[in-house]
Amino acid sequence: MNKLLMHPAAKPVIFLLCLLPFARLAYGAFAGGLGANPAEFLIRATGDWTLRFICIVLAVTPLRVMAKANALARFRRMLGLFAYFYVVLHLLCYSWFDMGFEWADIAKDIAKRPFILVGFSAFVLLTPLAATSFNRAIKAMGARRWQMLHRLVYLIAGLGLLHFFWMRAGKNDFAEVFVYAAVIAVLLGWRVWNYASKRRPKPSAGVRGGRGNSSEKSLRSSTG
């Protein structure tokens, strides 16, 4: 798998695959194939794809470790930037179709409606992650600070899920919410388990050997 992922064509192929949802939405908008309410369809679809890409980004490390495919790491930056690309589209669709780019009304709407405030907060937190996803930013910040900043993706995933939950609560439709919640719970749960397993002290071979020798001696003395 590593050899396939390291192929020069791998990145362009992944890039085009990530653009497919946008191409489908753009074609549907121009061809009139987005249903009776295309504005609502675009707002929801771009939001869905943002959450999906966040899940994909979170899945990179578990898949890399379990499949021993270290080459997966080279796609994480691009996938994260696509998550930001789709959240920007989501915000633009809301600002345009719902609010008509009336910035004062947008500010009032964000402050008034909790689910929009939560979604906007996720966008704000995702912005510095996108802005520092380049090698120069890593060198300038230092690897430790950069890693601490990019751990915000866990909080962003939770905020995105809460935004999605509140949005679906109006129609009492939680089926997809539970799916995303399960996926995010598994991905974050794996990280907790992996961190705990690394922190767990491992008994050294010398200690095990020493204990074995002492038990053998006591056994011989008791039988002798």
Side-chain angles (χ1 to χ4, degrees), residues 114-145:
F115 92 95
I116 295 181
L117 177 61
V118 166
F120 185 73
S121 299
F123 163 75
V124 170
L125 292 175
L126 196 56
T127 299
L129 271 63
T132 58
S133 62
F134 303 97
N135 291 333
R136 285 185 181 180
I138 300 172
K139 290 179 181 178
M141 294 178 64
R144 186 178 181 83
R145 289 181 181 176

PDB file of all heavy atoms in Angstrom, residues 114-145:
ATOM      1  N   PRO A 114     -28.112  29.647  18.723  1.00  0.00           N
ATOM      2  CA  PRO A 114     -26.966  28.885  19.237  1.00  0.00           C
ATOM      3  C   PRO A 114     -26.335  27.944  18.213  1.00  0.00           C
ATOM      4  O   PRO A 114     -25.104  27.800  18.186  1.00  0.00           O
ATOM      5  CB  PRO A 114     -27.569  28.097  20.412  1.00  0.00           C
ATOM      6  CG  PRO A 114     -28.747  28.892  20.833  1.00  0.00           C
ATOM      7  CD  PRO A 114     -29.296  29.499  19.575  1.00  0.00           C
ATOM      8  N   PHE A 115     -27.139  27.279  17.377  1.00  0.00           N
ATOM      9  CA  PHE A 115     -26.553  26.297  16.458  1.00  0.00           C
ATOM     10  C   PHE A 115     -25.691  26.987  15.405  1.00  0.00           C
ATOM     11  O   PHE A 115     -24.691  26.431  14.946  1.00  0.00           O
ATOM     12  CB  PHE A 115     -27.652  25.422  15.834  1.00  0.00           C
ATOM     13  CG  PHE A 115     -28.205  25.887  14.529  1.00  0.00           C
ATOM     14  CD1 PHE A 115     -27.705  25.410  13.330  1.00  0.00           C
ATOM     15  CD2 PHE A 115     -29.252  26.806  14.493  1.00  0.00           C
ATOM     16  CE1 PHE A 115     -28.228  25.822  12.120  1.00  0.00           C
ATOM     17  CE2 PHE A 115     -29.785  27.218  13.298  1.00  0.00           C
ATOM     18  CZ  PHE A 115     -29.268  26.731  12.098  1.00  0.00           C
ATOM     19  N   ILE A 116     -26.035  28.231  15.042  1.00  0.00           N
ATOM     20  CA  ILE A 116     -25.203  28.981  14.103  1.00  0.00           C
ATOM     21  C   ILE A 116     -23.948  29.485  14.810  1.00  0.00           C
ATOM     22  O   ILE A 116     -22.852  29.481  14.229  1.00  0.00           O
ATOM     23  CB  ILE A 116     -26.000  30.143  13.476  1.00  0.00           C
ATOM     24  CG1 ILE A 116     -27.134  29.585  12.616  1.00  0.00           C
ATOM     25  CG2 ILE A 116     -25.089  31.029  12.623  1.00  0.00           C
ATOM     26  CD1 ILE A 116     -27.979  30.630  11.932  1.00  0.00           C
ATOM     27  N   LEU A 117     -24.083  29.899  16.060  1.00  0.00           N
ATOM     28  CA  LEU A 117     -22.922  30.329  16.844  1.00  0.00           C
ATOM     29  C   LEU A 117     -21.913  29.197  16.985  1.00  0.00           C
ATOM     30  O   LEU A 117     -20.705  29.404  16.838  1.00  0.00           O
ATOM     31  CB  LEU A 117     -23.379  30.802  18.223  1.00  0.00           C
ATOM     32  CG  LEU A 117     -22.280  31.230  19.199  1.00  0.00           C
ATOM     33  CD1 LEU A 117     -21.483  32.397  18.646  1.00  0.00           C
ATOM     34  CD2 LEU A 117     -22.880  31.574  20.557  1.00  0.00           C
ATOM     35  N   VAL A 118     -22.406  27.989  17.248  1.00  0.00           N
ATOM     36  CA  VAL A 118     -21.517  26.836  17.385  1.00  0.00           C
ATOM     37  C   VAL A 118     -20.820  26.528  16.059  1.00  0.00           C
ATOM     38  O   VAL A 118     -19.608  26.278  16.016  1.00  0.00           O
ATOM     39  CB  VAL A 118     -22.323  25.612  17.878  1.00  0.00           C
ATOM     40  CG1 VAL A 118     -21.527  24.333  17.707  1.00  0.00           C
ATOM     41  CG2 VAL A 118     -22.703  25.783  19.342  1.00  0.00           C
ATOM     42  N   GLY A 119     -21.575  26.555  14.959  1.00  0.00           N
ATOM     43  CA  GLY A 119     -20.980  26.307  13.654  1.00  0.00           C
ATOM     44  C   GLY A 119     -19.961  27.370  13.278  1.00  0.00           C
ATOM     45  O   GLY A 119     -18.888  27.062  12.737  1.00  0.00           O
ATOM     46  N   PHE A 120     -20.274  28.632  13.573  1.00  0.00           N
ATOM     47  CA  PHE A 120     -19.338  29.719  13.271  1.00  0.00           C
ATOM     48  C   PHE A 120     -18.081  29.598  14.129  1.00  0.00           C
ATOM     49  O   PHE A 120     -16.968  29.882  13.660  1.00  0.00           O
ATOM     50  CB  PHE A 120     -20.012  31.072  13.497  1.00  0.00           C
ATOM     51  CG  PHE A 120     -19.168  32.242  13.092  1.00  0.00           C
ATOM     52  CD1 PHE A 120     -18.961  32.534  11.747  1.00  0.00           C
ATOM     53  CD2 PHE A 120     -18.578  33.052  14.052  1.00  0.00           C
ATOM     54  CE1 PHE A 120     -18.173  33.612  11.371  1.00  0.00           C
ATOM     55  CE2 PHE A 120     -17.789  34.134  13.679  1.00  0.00           C
ATOM     56  CZ  PHE A 120     -17.595  34.416  12.336  1.00  0.00           C
ATOM     57  N   SER A 121     -18.238  29.163  15.378  1.00  0.00           N
ATOM     58  CA  SER A 121     -17.081  28.955  16.257  1.00  0.00           C
ATOM     59  C   SER A 121     -16.159  27.878  15.686  1.00  0.00           C
ATOM     60  O   SER A 121     -14.931  28.017  15.738  1.00  0.00           O
ATOM     61  CB  SER A 121     -17.546  28.562  17.659  1.00  0.00           C
ATOM     62  OG  SER A 121     -18.338  29.572  18.232  1.00  0.00           O
ATOM     63  N   ALA A 122     -16.744  26.820  15.132  1.00  0.00           N
ATOM     64  CA  ALA A 122     -15.937  25.767  14.511  1.00  0.00           C
ATOM     65  C   ALA A 122     -15.162  26.325  13.317  1.00  0.00           C
ATOM     66  O   ALA A 122     -13.987  25.996  13.113  1.00  0.00           O
ATOM     67  CB  ALA A 122     -16.838  24.617  14.074  1.00  0.00           C
ATOM     68  N   PHE A 123     -15.810  27.188  12.536  1.00  0.00           N
ATOM     69  CA  PHE A 123     -15.138  27.823  11.396  1.00  0.00           C
ATOM     70  C   PHE A 123     -13.973  28.687  11.870  1.00  0.00           C
ATOM     71  O   PHE A 123     -12.873  28.641  11.297  1.00  0.00           O
ATOM     72  CB  PHE A 123     -16.134  28.660  10.598  1.00  0.00           C
ATOM     73  CG  PHE A 123     -15.491  29.653   9.676  1.00  0.00           C
ATOM     74  CD1 PHE A 123     -14.893  29.234   8.496  1.00  0.00           C
ATOM     75  CD2 PHE A 123     -15.466  31.003   9.989  1.00  0.00           C
ATOM     76  CE1 PHE A 123     -14.283  30.151   7.645  1.00  0.00           C
ATOM     77  CE2 PHE A 123     -14.860  31.921   9.147  1.00  0.00           C
ATOM     78  CZ  PHE A 123     -14.261  31.492   7.970  1.00  0.00           C
ATOM     79  N   VAL A 124     -14.194  29.474  12.916  1.00  0.00           N
ATOM     80  CA  VAL A 124     -13.143  30.354  13.445  1.00  0.00           C
ATOM     81  C   VAL A 124     -11.954  29.525  13.927  1.00  0.00           C
ATOM     82  O   VAL A 124     -10.788  29.867  13.669  1.00  0.00           O
ATOM     83  CB  VAL A 124     -13.703  31.238  14.580  1.00  0.00           C
ATOM     84  CG1 VAL A 124     -12.573  31.976  15.302  1.00  0.00           C
ATOM     85  CG2 VAL A 124     -14.709  32.246  14.023  1.00  0.00           C
ATOM     86  N   LEU A 125     -12.215  28.422  14.627  1.00  0.00           N
ATOM     87  CA  LEU A 125     -11.139  27.580  15.133  1.00  0.00           C
ATOM     88  C   LEU A 125     -10.414  26.841  14.009  1.00  0.00           C
ATOM     89  O   LEU A 125      -9.208  26.563  14.123  1.00  0.00           O
ATOM     90  CB  LEU A 125     -11.693  26.563  16.138  1.00  0.00           C
ATOM     91  CG  LEU A 125     -12.198  27.139  17.460  1.00  0.00           C
ATOM     92  CD1 LEU A 125     -12.836  26.039  18.299  1.00  0.00           C
ATOM     93  CD2 LEU A 125     -11.068  27.798  18.239  1.00  0.00           C
ATOM     94  N   LEU A 126     -11.123  26.527  12.946  1.00  0.00           N
ATOM     95  CA  LEU A 126     -10.501  25.816  11.830  1.00  0.00           C
ATOM     96  C   LEU A 126      -9.600  26.733  11.007  1.00  0.00           C
ATOM     97  O   LEU A 126      -8.663  26.255  10.346  1.00  0.00           O
ATOM     98  CB  LEU A 126     -11.596  25.216  10.938  1.00  0.00           C
ATOM     99  CG  LEU A 126     -11.203  24.124   9.940  1.00  0.00           C
ATOM    100  CD1 LEU A 126     -10.515  22.964  10.640  1.00  0.00           C
ATOM    101  CD2 LEU A 126     -12.437  23.635   9.188  1.00  0.00           C
ATOM    102  N   THR A 127      -9.863  28.030  11.048  1.00  0.00           N
ATOM    103  CA  THR A 127      -9.091  28.979  10.243  1.00  0.00           C
ATOM    104  C   THR A 127      -7.603  28.981  10.578  1.00  0.00           C
ATOM    105  O   THR A 127      -6.770  28.881   9.661  1.00  0.00           O
ATOM    106  CB  THR A 127      -9.688  30.393  10.384  1.00  0.00           C
ATOM    107  OG1 THR A 127     -11.039  30.381   9.896  1.00  0.00           O
ATOM    108  CG2 THR A 127      -8.881  31.409   9.583  1.00  0.00           C
ATOM    109  N   PRO A 128      -7.184  29.074  11.861  1.00  0.00           N
ATOM    110  CA  PRO A 128      -5.738  29.023  12.124  1.00  0.00           C
ATOM    111  C   PRO A 128      -5.107  27.685  11.774  1.00  0.00           C
ATOM    112  O   PRO A 128      -3.913  27.633  11.452  1.00  0.00           O
ATOM    113  CB  PRO A 128      -5.639  29.309  13.630  1.00  0.00           C
ATOM    114  CG  PRO A 128      -6.994  29.030  14.185  1.00  0.00           C
ATOM    115  CD  PRO A 128      -7.948  29.341  13.090  1.00  0.00           C
ATOM    116  N   LEU A 129      -5.878  26.613  11.806  1.00  0.00           N
ATOM    117  CA  LEU A 129      -5.326  25.321  11.406  1.00  0.00           C
ATOM    118  C   LEU A 129      -5.011  25.316   9.916  1.00  0.00           C
ATOM    119  O   LEU A 129      -3.963  24.817   9.502  1.00  0.00           O
ATOM    120  CB  LEU A 129      -6.310  24.193  11.750  1.00  0.00           C
ATOM    121  CG  LEU A 129      -6.174  23.570  13.140  1.00  0.00           C
ATOM    122  CD1 LEU A 129      -6.446  24.593  14.236  1.00  0.00           C
ATOM    123  CD2 LEU A 129      -7.120  22.396  13.293  1.00  0.00           C
ATOM    124  N   ALA A 130      -5.916  25.882   9.120  1.00  0.00           N
ATOM    125  CA  ALA A 130      -5.670  25.972   7.685  1.00  0.00           C
ATOM    126  C   ALA A 130      -4.510  26.927   7.394  1.00  0.00           C
ATOM    127  O   ALA A 130      -3.677  26.664   6.518  1.00  0.00           O
ATOM    128  CB  ALA A 130      -6.931  26.449   6.964  1.00  0.00           C
ATOM    129  N   ALA A 131      -4.443  28.024   8.145  1.00  0.00           N
ATOM    130  CA  ALA A 131      -3.402  29.031   7.908  1.00  0.00           C
ATOM    131  C   ALA A 131      -2.017  28.543   8.291  1.00  0.00           C
ATOM    132  O   ALA A 131      -1.010  29.049   7.781  1.00  0.00           O
ATOM    133  CB  ALA A 131      -3.731  30.309   8.673  1.00  0.00           C
ATOM    134  N   THR A 132      -1.924  27.562   9.185  1.00  0.00           N
ATOM    135  CA  THR A 132      -0.621  27.053   9.645  1.00  0.00           C
ATOM    136  C   THR A 132      -0.345  25.639   9.144  1.00  0.00           C
ATOM    137  O   THR A 132       0.418  24.898   9.773  1.00  0.00           O
ATOM    138  CB  THR A 132      -0.557  27.070  11.182  1.00  0.00           C
ATOM    139  OG1 THR A 132      -1.634  26.265  11.707  1.00  0.00           O
ATOM    140  CG2 THR A 132      -0.676  28.475  11.726  1.00  0.00           C
ATOM    141  N   SER A 133      -0.972  25.272   8.041  1.00  0.00           N
ATOM    142  CA  SER A 133      -0.802  23.908   7.533  1.00  0.00           C
ATOM    143  C   SER A 133       0.355  23.796   6.547  1.00  0.00           C
ATOM    144  O   SER A 133       0.394  22.871   5.739  1.00  0.00           O
ATOM    145  CB  SER A 133      -2.098  23.437   6.859  1.00  0.00           C
ATOM    146  OG  SER A 133      -2.401  24.269   5.756  1.00  0.00           O
ATOM    147  N   PHE A 134       1.309  24.728   6.618  1.00  0.00           N
ATOM    148  CA  PHE A 134       2.429  24.732   5.693  1.00  0.00           C
ATOM    149  C   PHE A 134       3.738  24.573   6.463  1.00  0.00           C
ATOM    150  O   PHE A 134       3.821  24.871   7.658  1.00  0.00           O
ATOM    151  CB  PHE A 134       2.443  26.032   4.881  1.00  0.00           C
ATOM    152  CG  PHE A 134       1.152  26.266   4.133  1.00  0.00           C
ATOM    153  CD1 PHE A 134       0.161  27.078   4.653  1.00  0.00           C
ATOM    154  CD2 PHE A 134       0.933  25.632   2.920  1.00  0.00           C
ATOM    155  CE1 PHE A 134      -1.031  27.279   3.971  1.00  0.00           C
ATOM    156  CE2 PHE A 134      -0.260  25.821   2.236  1.00  0.00           C
ATOM    157  CZ  PHE A 134      -1.245  26.649   2.753  1.00  0.00           C
ATOM    158  N   ASN A 135       4.775  24.123   5.756  1.00  0.00           N
ATOM    159  CA  ASN A 135       6.049  23.822   6.400  1.00  0.00           C
ATOM    160  C   ASN A 135       6.656  25.045   7.088  1.00  0.00           C
ATOM    161  O   ASN A 135       7.265  24.931   8.147  1.00  0.00           O
ATOM    162  CB  ASN A 135       7.034  23.261   5.369  1.00  0.00           C
ATOM    163  CG  ASN A 135       6.613  21.878   4.895  1.00  0.00           C
ATOM    164  OD1 ASN A 135       5.940  21.146   5.614  1.00  0.00           O
ATOM    165  ND2 ASN A 135       7.006  21.517   3.684  1.00  0.00           N
ATOM    166  N   ARG A 136       6.501  26.222   6.480  1.00  0.00           N
ATOM    167  CA  ARG A 136       7.053  27.430   7.086  1.00  0.00           C
ATOM    168  C   ARG A 136       6.417  27.718   8.448  1.00  0.00           C
ATOM    169  O   ARG A 136       7.091  28.160   9.377  1.00  0.00           O
ATOM    170  CB  ARG A 136       6.853  28.629   6.154  1.00  0.00           C
ATOM    171  CG  ARG A 136       7.797  28.647   4.957  1.00  0.00           C
ATOM    172  CD  ARG A 136       7.630  29.920   4.163  1.00  0.00           C
ATOM    173  NE  ARG A 136       8.510  29.951   3.007  1.00  0.00           N
ATOM    174  CZ  ARG A 136       8.566  30.963   2.139  1.00  0.00           C
ATOM    175  NH1 ARG A 136       7.764  32.012   2.314  1.00  0.00           N
ATOM    176  NH2 ARG A 136       9.385  30.924   1.121  1.00  0.00           N
ATOM    177  N   ALA A 137       5.102  27.475   8.529  1.00  0.00           N
ATOM    178  CA  ALA A 137       4.403  27.701   9.805  1.00  0.00           C
ATOM    179  C   ALA A 137       4.901  26.733  10.869  1.00  0.00           C
ATOM    180  O   ALA A 137       5.066  27.112  12.034  1.00  0.00           O
ATOM    181  CB  ALA A 137       2.901  27.552   9.614  1.00  0.00           C
ATOM    182  N   ILE A 138       5.151  25.482  10.478  1.00  0.00           N
ATOM    183  CA  ILE A 138       5.658  24.493  11.432  1.00  0.00           C
ATOM    184  C   ILE A 138       7.025  24.909  11.958  1.00  0.00           C
ATOM    185  O   ILE A 138       7.306  24.842  13.162  1.00  0.00           O
ATOM    186  CB  ILE A 138       5.723  23.099  10.775  1.00  0.00           C
ATOM    187  CG1 ILE A 138       4.336  22.660  10.304  1.00  0.00           C
ATOM    188  CG2 ILE A 138       6.307  22.073  11.746  1.00  0.00           C
ATOM    189  CD1 ILE A 138       4.337  21.394   9.486  1.00  0.00           C
ATOM    190  N   LYS A 139       7.905  25.393  11.045  1.00  0.00           N
ATOM    191  CA  LYS A 139       9.241  25.834  11.460  1.00  0.00           C
ATOM    192  C   LYS A 139       9.157  27.072  12.343  1.00  0.00           C
ATOM    193  O   LYS A 139       9.903  27.214  13.320  1.00  0.00           O
ATOM    194  CB  LYS A 139      10.093  26.110  10.224  1.00  0.00           C
ATOM    195  CG  LYS A 139      10.476  24.859   9.448  1.00  0.00           C
ATOM    196  CD  LYS A 139      11.297  25.213   8.224  1.00  0.00           C
ATOM    197  CE  LYS A 139      11.655  23.948   7.421  1.00  0.00           C
ATOM    198  NZ  LYS A 139      12.420  24.296   6.189  1.00  0.00           N
ATOM    199  N   ALA A 140       8.266  27.992  11.999  1.00  0.00           N
ATOM    200  CA  ALA A 140       8.149  29.238  12.762  1.00  0.00           C
ATOM    201  C   ALA A 140       7.588  28.993  14.160  1.00  0.00           C
ATOM    202  O   ALA A 140       8.038  29.608  15.136  1.00  0.00           O
ATOM    203  CB  ALA A 140       7.266  30.231  11.998  1.00  0.00           C
ATOM    204  N   MET A 141       6.608  28.097  14.257  1.00  0.00           N
ATOM    205  CA  MET A 141       5.954  27.842  15.541  1.00  0.00           C
ATOM    206  C   MET A 141       6.719  26.839  16.393  1.00  0.00           C
ATOM    207  O   MET A 141       6.632  26.859  17.621  1.00  0.00           O
ATOM    208  CB  MET A 141       4.536  27.317  15.320  1.00  0.00           C
ATOM    209  CG  MET A 141       3.588  28.309  14.682  1.00  0.00           C
ATOM    210  SD  MET A 141       1.961  27.578  14.420  1.00  0.00           S
ATOM    211  CE  MET A 141       1.455  27.255  16.108  1.00  0.00           C
ATOM    212  N   GLY A 142       7.421  25.949  15.730  1.00  0.00           N
ATOM    213  CA  GLY A 142       8.017  24.818  16.434  1.00  0.00           C
ATOM    214  C   GLY A 142       7.049  23.649  16.435  1.00  0.00           C
ATOM    215  O   GLY A 142       5.833  23.855  16.523  1.00  0.00           O
ATOM    216  N   ALA A 143       7.577  22.453  16.316  1.00  0.00           N
ATOM    217  CA  ALA A 143       6.724  21.270  16.145  1.00  0.00           C
ATOM    218  C   ALA A 143       5.766  21.078  17.322  1.00  0.00           C
ATOM    219  O   ALA A 143       4.606  20.728  17.125  1.00  0.00           O
ATOM    220  CB  ALA A 143       7.585  20.027  15.959  1.00  0.00           C
ATOM    221  N   ARG A 144       6.250  21.329  18.554  1.00  0.00           N
ATOM    222  CA  ARG A 144       5.408  21.093  19.741  1.00  0.00           C
ATOM    223  C   ARG A 144       4.204  22.038  19.763  1.00  0.00           C
ATOM    224  O   ARG A 144       3.065  21.607  19.981  1.00  0.00           O
ATOM    225  CB  ARG A 144       6.248  21.251  21.004  1.00  0.00           C
ATOM    226  CG  ARG A 144       5.506  20.891  22.281  1.00  0.00           C
ATOM    227  CD  ARG A 144       6.424  21.022  23.488  1.00  0.00           C
ATOM    228  NE  ARG A 144       5.745  20.660  24.716  1.00  0.00           N
ATOM    229  CZ  ARG A 144       5.605  19.429  25.155  1.00  0.00           C
ATOM    230  NH1 ARG A 144       6.100  18.424  24.454  1.00  0.00           N
ATOM    231  NH2 ARG A 144       4.979  19.184  26.296  1.00  0.00           N
ATOM    232  N   ARG A 145       4.440  23.338  19.555  1.00  0.00           N
ATOM    233  CA  ARG A 145       3.342  24.303  19.553  1.00  0.00           C
ATOM    234  C   ARG A 145       2.389  24.050  18.393  1.00  0.00           C
ATOM    235  O   ARG A 145       1.173  24.198  18.542  1.00  0.00           O
ATOM    236  CB  ARG A 145       3.900  25.727  19.471  1.00  0.00           C
ATOM    237  CG  ARG A 145       4.589  26.194  20.739  1.00  0.00           C
ATOM    238  CD  ARG A 145       5.093  27.602  20.576  1.00  0.00           C
ATOM    239  NE  ARG A 145       5.776  28.070  21.778  1.00  0.00           N
ATOM    240  CZ  ARG A 145       6.377  29.248  21.870  1.00  0.00           C
ATOM    241  NH1 ARG A 145       6.395  30.071  20.825  1.00  0.00           N
ATOM    242  NH2 ARG A 145       6.973  29.605  22.992  1.00  0.00           N
TER     243      ARG A 145
END
